[in-house]
Amino acid sequence: MIRSQFPALSQTLAFLDSAATTQKPLCVIEAMNEFYKTHYSSVKRGAYSLSAKTTQKFEDARAKIAKFIDAQNENTIVFTRGTTESINLVAHTNIAHGDEVLLSVLEHHANIVPWQIAGAKIKVIPCDDNGDLQISELPNLLSAKTKIVALTHTANSIGTINPLQEIIPAIRKLAPQAKILIDAAQGAPHSKISVKELDCDFLAFSAHKIYGPTGVGILYGKNEILETMPPWQGGGEMIDKVSFEGTSFALPPARFEAGTPPIAEVLGFSAAIDWVNETGMSNILAHERQITAYALDELQKVEGLQVVGKPRDRGSIISFSLGKIHPHDVALILDEDSIAVRAGHHCAQPTMERFKVPATLRASFAAYTEPWEIDKLCKSLVRASDIFVY
Ligand SMILES: *Cc1c(COP(=O)(O)O)cnc(C)c1O
């Protein structure tokens, strides 16, 4: 039983908001508790054995995450606060005012705004009415001027899984100089990702969406690219030698990890990766595919319900609206019935605009989602329709 490993999940609340954040299994909570209770210390700062042990565990986590995404070695993994900070790091260190960046209409604000702040000139890959990216537009959008292409693995708003194994080689052919960043916030938690097979230059994801704690995530970057990047934030541990005349910087990943890192969170992240490995990513994927197919069938039986987007390949996310009832009104009724869904623009306003909706309801699933939660949702949606039809 997967669900029973998650102490915050009950048999009454239908938690259908895992795309916003996932619940935590007990082993993750305990790994963090144990650290604070029995062997708390900083990393890389003490000559004493306790700190050396913590440093070892911290670095083991880095190596484990490198292996998890099939990276060349652990030095490709930079610990950050999460996907948002990872993308900001790349934007800040790679983009000069006026540089061209290619995004898609399916991006989360975290993969739009950092590029704007860095002063990039932004181009956008459109999508069709199903919510599939129009890859045939790539020749018109890429050129020798394209500095970065930053794309989501899976759209958090409508669930599209992008065919990256098709898109990335096309980008390499049309704009070999462009660096490719993949926002895997919704990808890494749901399927096996190999940065080696994808051949992306950067990849980012957050621990809290893959059963780990908040406040930590990673940026993967190819060694040879990270090594050419200037530091971002300055402080402790990111230097080689400091004097008031000038400072030389440490090699990556230390160069990008200024200050005391979130140690307990990294250890919790590590426990979350163990949990996913032990549960089996292929089992998680198979379960989520099944629950998503069931939900799609059941939701479409609800009168007046429209699913937004019909992508060729869908992650465990379904966006929908219910007649003309405002999604926030529906969400209030669902909440009365102990159902947690997201209502809003899902930090993807350009996607909402593309589909000409101000907001949607979104149900999203994870390893612990059970069919009764879907049944409960559908029943409550019928109740919401009855209340608002007048
Ligand atoms: C959640 C999410 C982000 C941002 O992640 P944070 O953990 O908030 O930094 C970026 N992109 C996608 C696709 C997301 O779902």
Side-chain angles (χ1 to χ4, degrees), residues 19-20 81-87 106-111 152-157 183-187 205-209 216 317 346-347 362:
R81 284 200 300 124
T83 311
T84 302
E85 190 173 79
S86 298
I87 298 173
L106 299 177
E107 302 309 316
H108 186 283
H109 294 167
N111 195 25
T152 195
H153 177 288
T154 299
N156 71 302
S157 52
D183 172 353
Q186 300 292 347
F205 67 96
S206 304
H208 74 98
K209 292 184 180 177
V216 68
I317 291 171
H346 319 296
C347 299
R362 182 187 69 183

Side-chain angles (χ1 to χ4, degrees), residues 193-253:
I193 287 190
S194 164
V195 291
K196 199 160 76 188
E197 272 171 34
L198 279 180
D199 187 32
C200 54
D201 298 306
F202 300 106
L203 182 126
F205 67 96
S206 304
H208 74 98
K209 292 184 180 177
I210 181 165
Y211 313 105
T214 53
V216 68
I218 59 111
L219 171 69
Y220 157 85
K222 283 184 178 165
N223 295 105
E224 60 274 22
I225 295 176
L226 288 182
E227 278 163 21
T228 62
M229 280 160 46
W232 178 42
Q233 295 170 331
E237 281 304 327
M238 51 75 73
I239 47 83
D240 173 32
K241 189 170 186 322
V242 177
S243 74
F244 285 108
E245 287 69 48
T247 292
S248 54
F249 301 109
L251 287 171

Side-chain angles (χ1 to χ4, degrees), residues 61-326:
R62 194 191 303 279
K64 190 182 294 173
I65 293 162
K67 198 160 164 242
F68 183 68
I69 58 168
D70 208 8
Q72 299 97 308
N73 55 63
E74 64 275 15
N75 292 330
T76 58
I77 305 296
V78 179
F79 284 117
T80 64
R81 284 200 300 124
T83 311
T84 302
E85 190 173 79
S86 298
I87 298 173
N88 274 277
L89 193 168
V90 176
H92 192 87
T93 51
N94 285 271
I95 295 300
H97 195 85
D99 280 349
E100 260 186 45
V101 171
L102 179 61
L103 308 175
S104 89
V105 71
L106 299 177
E107 302 309 316
H108 186 283
H109 294 167
N111 195 25
I112 301 174
V113 185
W115 308 108
Q116 290 173 328
I117 291 175
K121 184 169 168 238
I122 290 171
K123 296 198 167 185
V124 182
I125 308 173
C127 74
D128 62 19
D129 290 339
N130 292 332
D132 288 314
L133 288 187
Q134 288 167 305
I135 302 163
S136 56
E137 287 296 314
L138 282 177
N140 306 325
L141 295 163
L142 287 161
S143 74
K145 287 194 286 185
T146 313
K147 194 85 188 272
I148 296 232
V149 182
L151 297 175
T152 195
H153 177 288
T154 299
N156 71 302
S157 52
I158 60 167
T160 308
I161 298 178
N162 287 321
L164 295 176
Q165 55 304 343
E166 201 181 311
I167 298 177
I168 292 176
I171 297 167
R172 295 285 186 216
K173 208 177 274 175
L174 292 160
Q177 82 293 344
K179 294 189 187 113
I180 301 174
L181 178 146
I182 301 304
D183 172 353
Q186 300 292 347
H190 306 284
S191 62
K192 170 75 189 159
I193 287 190
S194 164
V195 291
K196 199 160 76 188
E197 272 171 34
L198 279 180
D199 187 32
C200 54
D201 298 306
F202 300 106
L203 182 126
F205 67 96
S206 304
H208 74 98
K209 292 184 180 177
I210 181 165
Y211 313 105
T214 53
V216 68
I218 59 111
L219 171 69
Y220 157 85
K222 283 184 178 165
N223 295 105
E224 60 274 22
I225 295 176
L226 288 182
E227 278 163 21
T228 62
M229 280 160 46
W232 178 42
Q233 295 170 331
E237 281 304 327
M238 51 75 73
I239 47 83
D240 173 32
K241 189 170 186 322
V242 177
S243 74
F244 285 108
E245 287 69 48
T247 292
S248 54
F249 301 109
L251 287 171
R255 185 184 298 167
F256 305 107
E257 294 179 355
T260 303
I263 307 164
E265 286 74 9
V266 165
L267 301 184
F269 192 178
S270 183
I273 298 294
D274 286 340
W275 185 85
V276 168
N277 285 335
E278 279 157 27
T279 307
M281 188 55 106
S282 53
N283 296 331
I284 293 175
L285 178 64
H287 172 75
E288 291 180 355
R289 291 241 174 225
Q290 206 175 2
I291 209 90
T292 305
Y294 178 67
L296 209 48
D297 277 353
E298 292 302 304
L299 283 169
Q300 280 164 337
K301 290 180 195 161
V302 175
E303 213 178 299
L305 187 142
Q306 303 97 21
V307 173
V308 178
K310 194 172 171 266
R312 253 171 297 186
D313 195 8
R314 176 191 291 278
S316 51
I317 291 171
I318 303 173
S319 244
F320 57 93
S321 50
L322 189 59
K324 297 220 179 318
I325 315 171
H326 196 281

